[in-house]
Amino acid sequence: MTTRRWALGLLSGVAMIAMGSARAAAEVRFGALYPFSGELAVLGDESWRGLELAVEERNAAGGVQGERIVLVRGDAVDNNQAVAEARRLISVSGVKAIFGTYSSARAQVASQVAELARIPYLEMGAVSDSITDRKFRYLFRTNPTARDMAERSIEMVINAVAPAHSVQPRDLRVAIIHEDSLYGTTVGRFQAGFAKEQGLNIVETLPYPANVVDMSALILRLQSAKADVVLQTSYQNDTVLFFRQAREAGFRPRAIIGGGGGYSLRETMQAVGQDVMDGVLNIDFTQIATNPKAAPGIPHFLEAYRAKYGMEPRSGHSLGNYAGAKIYLEAIDKAKSFSADDIAAALRALDIPEGQTAVGWGVRFGENGQNQRSKMMGLQWQDGKLVTVFPSEAAVSDLRLRR
């Protein structure tokens, strides 16, 4: 081989290595921090699916800033693991942002790790107001809060339950029960405050551990208090346990109003029975059975979900994470770089009116990183399906309450 040919071959090899390195470098890593195992795994995985679908769509369209998105999963099975996984995602995997996380308690601690490391934390499911009350610089949340959930639930008692039973709201005996983590405690506290402001009669406020195995004593107290309306903020296992033991005890209040979580899962309805769940009310993010005129993008999301997972969505958590991720990714694509400050600046510049996302919310982040245009929906289990009953522009069915 001549010297010239050898040199050309060497240059060609170097060029191929450089091209390969460029291709490898043309990736950006984001963390996906959810409870993939443990008692919150079903809703954690359902939330992840929405993020996964949004990323796949974005990659098919060219990625963000010309780079392909790679998601690195972290399992936030509990608070300690959420902290450890957030640190791993940042220091070992080198992620440019963390998406998550569904659980308020996990999000609360993991976002603090991200803030100290100057990594954007992009929340799409946790509701506790204290998460954004800290006014972190790199923390953003697309979804509505516990305060929004509590306010809607009290509105439902006053404007739906009381009229359906032809009584004054103050004559209803209302009980508040909730799991005692950050999620349930925050919602329950706001419910008690709003109820007091509206002059409602709160006869019991009962917290309990989310991993409770026997709720018979709690149900006995509700029966003794003659509760007409029960407001429960819960995850899946405690929701199922409550309904099973309430049925065994013959406890049948005039209305039960859930606060998202287990009340939004199809598996919960299947576990306790359609005949038990039908008529139960719920407050949560936008769910699948919502008027697409108010939430454009739902039909497309459903088609993509069915094609990838071969089933119907288990709850609206995947829809909320899908819509939230699309919002975040669009802003990141427009950012000047992947630096935390540039991503934060792009997010703060967003100004999306209501009715233009797959969940129907608009987007405008306040100084604390909370989306000021997100809102909770009023829902009800009807004929085995969780359907939207208010607001009217999003409703697909009228409210049904037994007298």
Side-chain angles (χ1 to χ4, degrees), residues 17-32:
I17 292 172
M19 288 174 64
S21 298
R23 282 195 295 269
E27 294 181 343
V28 58
R29 291 186 173 192
F30 294 134

Side-chain angles (χ1 to χ4, degrees), residues 120-365:
Y121 199 92
L122 310 177
E123 184 57 49
M124 301 175 289
V127 299
S128 178
D129 292 68
S130 63
I131 293 171
T132 46
D133 283 348
R134 297 170 295 174
K135 298 182 180 179
F136 283 177
R137 188 174 179 181
Y138 304 112
L139 171 66
F140 295 86
R141 175 165 55 186
T142 49
N143 60 271
T145 68
R147 180 187 180 92
D148 301 323
M149 179 175 284
E151 189 170 24
R152 279 287 199 196
S153 65
I154 299 303
E155 286 177 1
M156 185 169 277
V157 173
I158 295 170
N159 299 323
V161 178
H165 293 281
S166 302
V167 298
Q168 292 298 314
R170 64 178 179 272
D171 294 329
L172 290 170
R173 301 173 65 82
V174 181
I176 298 171
I177 65 174
H178 61 83
E179 60 85 30
D180 63 3
S181 77
L182 188 62
Y183 159 52
T185 300
T186 309
V187 175
R189 184 180 74 248
F190 278 120
Q191 285 175 330
F194 287 128
K196 184 177 180 180
E197 288 177 9
Q198 297 297 327
L200 297 185
N201 179 21
I202 302 298
V203 295
E204 286 282 10
T205 301
L206 302 173
Y208 59 84
N211 60 355
V212 62
V213 295
D214 185 3
M215 301 183 80
S216 57
L218 180 147
I219 292 168
L220 180 60
R221 285 187 59 170
L222 296 178
Q223 288 178 306
S224 298
K226 299 180 180 179
D228 295 310
V229 180
V230 175
L231 310 181
Q232 184 182 23
T233 308
S234 51
Y235 291 114
Q236 184 188 17
N237 292 341
D238 48 322
T239 305
V240 172
L241 182 63
F242 171 74
F243 276 100
R244 284 178 173 170
Q245 294 196 313
R247 189 177 195 179
E248 291 170 1
F251 177 55
R252 195 168 184 239
R254 293 185 177 187
I256 298 174
I257 304 176
Y263 276 77
S264 299
L265 265 175
R266 185 185 63 216
E267 279 80 354
T268 299
M269 182 274 297
Q270 293 171 336
V272 303
Q274 178 180 324
D275 60 323
V276 175
M277 287 296 287
D278 266 10
V280 170
L281 302 169
N282 187 22
I283 307 295
D284 205 354
F285 308 156
T286 307
Q287 300 293 307
I288 303 305
T290 298
N291 190 333
K293 292 181 180 178
I298 288 181
H300 172 76
F301 165 78
L302 279 173
E303 182 180 358
Y305 188 103
R306 291 164 179 158
K308 183 169 181 65
Y309 303 112
M311 61 187 294
E312 295 295 307
R314 292 168 288 186
S315 82
H317 290 75
S318 50
L319 174 63
N321 279 254
Y322 170 80
K326 285 175 70 71
I327 291 164
Y328 287 133
L329 294 172
E330 181 67 24
I332 292 171
D333 186 52
K334 294 178 180 177
K336 293 180 180 178
S337 73
F338 290 119
S339 76
D341 288 322
D342 285 341
I343 290 175
L347 289 169
R348 295 191 190 282
L350 286 176
D351 188 359
I352 303 174
E354 288 188 11
Q356 295 189 15
T357 66
V359 282
W361 311 328
V363 182
R364 185 66 176 172
F365 292 109

